[in-house]
Short mmCIF file of all heavy atoms in Angstrom, two decimals:
data_model
loop_
_atom_site.label_atom_id
_atom_site.label_comp_id
_atom_site.label_asym_id
_atom_site.label_seq_id
_atom_site.Cartn_x
_atom_site.Cartn_y
_atom_site.Cartn_z
N GLU A 60 40.36 139.30 -52.32
CA GLU A 60 39.61 138.15 -52.81
C GLU A 60 39.99 136.87 -52.08
O GLU A 60 39.79 135.77 -52.59
CB GLU A 60 39.74 138.02 -54.33
CG GLU A 60 41.16 138.02 -54.86
CD GLU A 60 41.20 138.00 -56.40
OE1 GLU A 60 40.97 136.93 -56.97
OE2 GLU A 60 41.45 139.07 -57.01
N GLY A 61 40.57 137.02 -50.91
CA GLY A 61 40.72 135.87 -50.03
C GLY A 61 41.90 134.96 -50.30
O GLY A 61 41.88 133.81 -49.90
N ILE A 62 42.94 135.47 -50.97
CA ILE A 62 44.03 134.55 -51.28
C ILE A 62 45.40 135.07 -50.83
O ILE A 62 46.30 134.28 -50.58
CB ILE A 62 44.03 134.21 -52.81
CG1 ILE A 62 44.93 133.03 -53.12
CG2 ILE A 62 44.42 135.42 -53.63
CD1 ILE A 62 44.39 131.70 -52.74
N CYS A 63 45.56 136.40 -50.68
CA CYS A 63 46.91 136.90 -50.38
C CYS A 63 47.27 136.70 -48.91
O CYS A 63 48.44 136.64 -48.56
CB CYS A 63 47.07 138.36 -50.79
SG CYS A 63 46.26 139.52 -49.68
N GLY A 64 46.25 136.63 -48.03
CA GLY A 64 46.54 136.40 -46.61
C GLY A 64 46.89 137.66 -45.85
O GLY A 64 47.38 137.60 -44.73
N SER A 65 46.66 138.84 -46.45
CA SER A 65 47.02 140.08 -45.76
C SER A 65 46.04 140.43 -44.66
O SER A 65 46.43 140.85 -43.58
CB SER A 65 47.07 141.24 -46.75
OG SER A 65 48.15 141.10 -47.63
N CYS A 66 44.74 140.30 -44.94
CA CYS A 66 43.77 140.85 -44.00
C CYS A 66 43.72 139.99 -42.73
O CYS A 66 43.88 138.79 -42.77
CB CYS A 66 42.40 141.02 -44.63
SG CYS A 66 41.68 139.54 -45.32
N SER A 67 43.48 140.65 -41.63
CA SER A 67 43.69 139.98 -40.36
C SER A 67 42.96 140.72 -39.26
O SER A 67 43.55 141.52 -38.57
CB SER A 67 45.18 139.97 -40.04
OG SER A 67 45.69 141.28 -40.09
N LEU A 68 41.70 140.47 -39.07
CA LEU A 68 40.98 141.14 -38.00
C LEU A 68 40.26 140.11 -37.15
O LEU A 68 39.72 139.14 -37.68
CB LEU A 68 39.94 142.12 -38.57
CG LEU A 68 40.47 143.21 -39.50
CD1 LEU A 68 39.32 144.05 -40.03
CD2 LEU A 68 41.48 144.09 -38.80
N VAL A 69 40.26 140.34 -35.85
CA VAL A 69 39.43 139.52 -34.97
C VAL A 69 38.12 140.28 -34.79
O VAL A 69 38.10 141.36 -34.22
CB VAL A 69 40.11 139.25 -33.62
CG1 VAL A 69 39.19 138.48 -32.70
CG2 VAL A 69 41.40 138.47 -33.84
N ILE A 70 37.06 139.73 -35.34
CA ILE A 70 35.77 140.41 -35.37
C ILE A 70 34.84 139.74 -34.37
O ILE A 70 34.55 138.55 -34.52
CB ILE A 70 35.18 140.39 -36.79
CG1 ILE A 70 36.15 141.10 -37.75
CG2 ILE A 70 33.81 141.04 -36.81
CD1 ILE A 70 35.90 140.79 -39.20
N ASN A 71 34.41 140.48 -33.39
CA ASN A 71 33.58 139.92 -32.32
C ASN A 71 34.15 138.61 -31.77
O ASN A 71 33.43 137.63 -31.58
CB ASN A 71 32.14 139.71 -32.80
CG ASN A 71 31.40 141.03 -32.91
OD1 ASN A 71 31.81 142.02 -32.30
ND2 ASN A 71 30.34 141.06 -33.69
N GLY A 72 35.46 138.60 -31.58
CA GLY A 72 36.08 137.46 -30.92
C GLY A 72 36.44 136.30 -31.81
O GLY A 72 36.89 135.28 -31.31
N ILE A 73 36.23 136.43 -33.12
CA ILE A 73 36.61 135.33 -34.01
C ILE A 73 37.49 135.87 -35.15
O ILE A 73 37.09 136.80 -35.85
CB ILE A 73 35.37 134.63 -34.63
CG1 ILE A 73 34.46 134.11 -33.52
CG2 ILE A 73 35.80 133.49 -35.54
CD1 ILE A 73 33.23 133.41 -34.05
N PRO A 74 38.67 135.29 -35.35
CA PRO A 74 39.52 135.72 -36.46
C PRO A 74 38.78 135.54 -37.79
O PRO A 74 38.15 134.50 -38.02
CB PRO A 74 40.72 134.78 -36.37
CG PRO A 74 40.77 134.34 -34.95
CD PRO A 74 39.35 134.28 -34.50
N HIS A 75 38.82 136.54 -38.63
CA HIS A 75 38.15 136.58 -39.93
C HIS A 75 36.62 136.61 -39.79
O HIS A 75 35.91 136.42 -40.78
CB HIS A 75 38.55 135.41 -40.83
CG HIS A 75 39.98 135.47 -41.32
ND1 HIS A 75 40.53 136.59 -41.88
CD2 HIS A 75 40.95 134.53 -41.35
CE1 HIS A 75 41.80 136.35 -42.21
NE2 HIS A 75 42.09 135.11 -41.89
N GLY A 76 36.12 136.80 -38.59
CA GLY A 76 34.69 137.03 -38.44
C GLY A 76 33.81 135.79 -38.40
O GLY A 76 34.31 134.67 -38.35
N PRO A 77 32.50 136.03 -38.42
CA PRO A 77 31.55 134.97 -38.08
C PRO A 77 31.37 133.87 -39.13
O PRO A 77 30.82 132.82 -38.80
CB PRO A 77 30.23 135.72 -37.88
CG PRO A 77 30.39 136.98 -38.67
CD PRO A 77 31.84 137.32 -38.62
N ASP A 78 31.76 134.09 -40.37
CA ASP A 78 31.55 133.04 -41.38
C ASP A 78 32.73 132.10 -41.43
O ASP A 78 33.86 132.48 -41.16
CB ASP A 78 31.34 133.67 -42.76
CG ASP A 78 29.93 134.22 -42.90
OD1 ASP A 78 29.04 133.76 -42.16
OD2 ASP A 78 29.72 135.10 -43.76
N ARG A 79 32.46 130.88 -41.83
CA ARG A 79 33.55 129.90 -41.92
C ARG A 79 34.18 129.89 -43.31
O ARG A 79 33.53 130.18 -44.30
CB ARG A 79 33.00 128.49 -41.65
CG ARG A 79 32.97 128.16 -40.17
CD ARG A 79 32.37 126.79 -39.96
NE ARG A 79 32.15 126.57 -38.54
CZ ARG A 79 32.92 125.80 -37.77
NH1 ARG A 79 33.94 125.16 -38.29
NH2 ARG A 79 32.65 125.64 -36.50
N GLY A 80 35.45 129.53 -43.33
CA GLY A 80 36.11 129.28 -44.62
C GLY A 80 36.36 130.51 -45.46
O GLY A 80 36.52 130.39 -46.68
N ILE A 81 36.38 131.69 -44.86
CA ILE A 81 36.69 132.89 -45.64
C ILE A 81 37.64 133.79 -44.85
O ILE A 81 37.82 133.62 -43.66
CB ILE A 81 35.42 133.72 -45.97
CG1 ILE A 81 34.69 134.12 -44.69
CG2 ILE A 81 34.52 132.99 -46.93
CD1 ILE A 81 33.71 135.23 -44.90
N THR A 82 38.22 134.75 -45.59
CA THR A 82 39.03 135.76 -44.93
C THR A 82 38.15 136.98 -44.68
O THR A 82 37.05 137.09 -45.23
CB THR A 82 40.20 136.18 -45.83
OG1 THR A 82 39.66 136.57 -47.08
CG2 THR A 82 41.16 135.03 -46.05
N THR A 83 38.67 137.92 -43.89
CA THR A 83 37.90 139.11 -43.55
C THR A 83 37.43 139.86 -44.80
O THR A 83 36.32 140.36 -44.85
CB THR A 83 38.76 140.05 -42.68
OG1 THR A 83 39.07 139.35 -41.47
CG2 THR A 83 38.04 141.32 -42.36
#
Side-chain angles (χ1 to χ4, degrees):
Chain A
E60 52 185 283
I62 193 75
C63 75
S65 291
C66 57
S67 54
L68 303 177
V69 176
I70 300 163
N71 286 340
I73 303 180
H75 291 312
D78 282 338
R79 274 178 189 256
I81 57 163
T82 54
T83 298

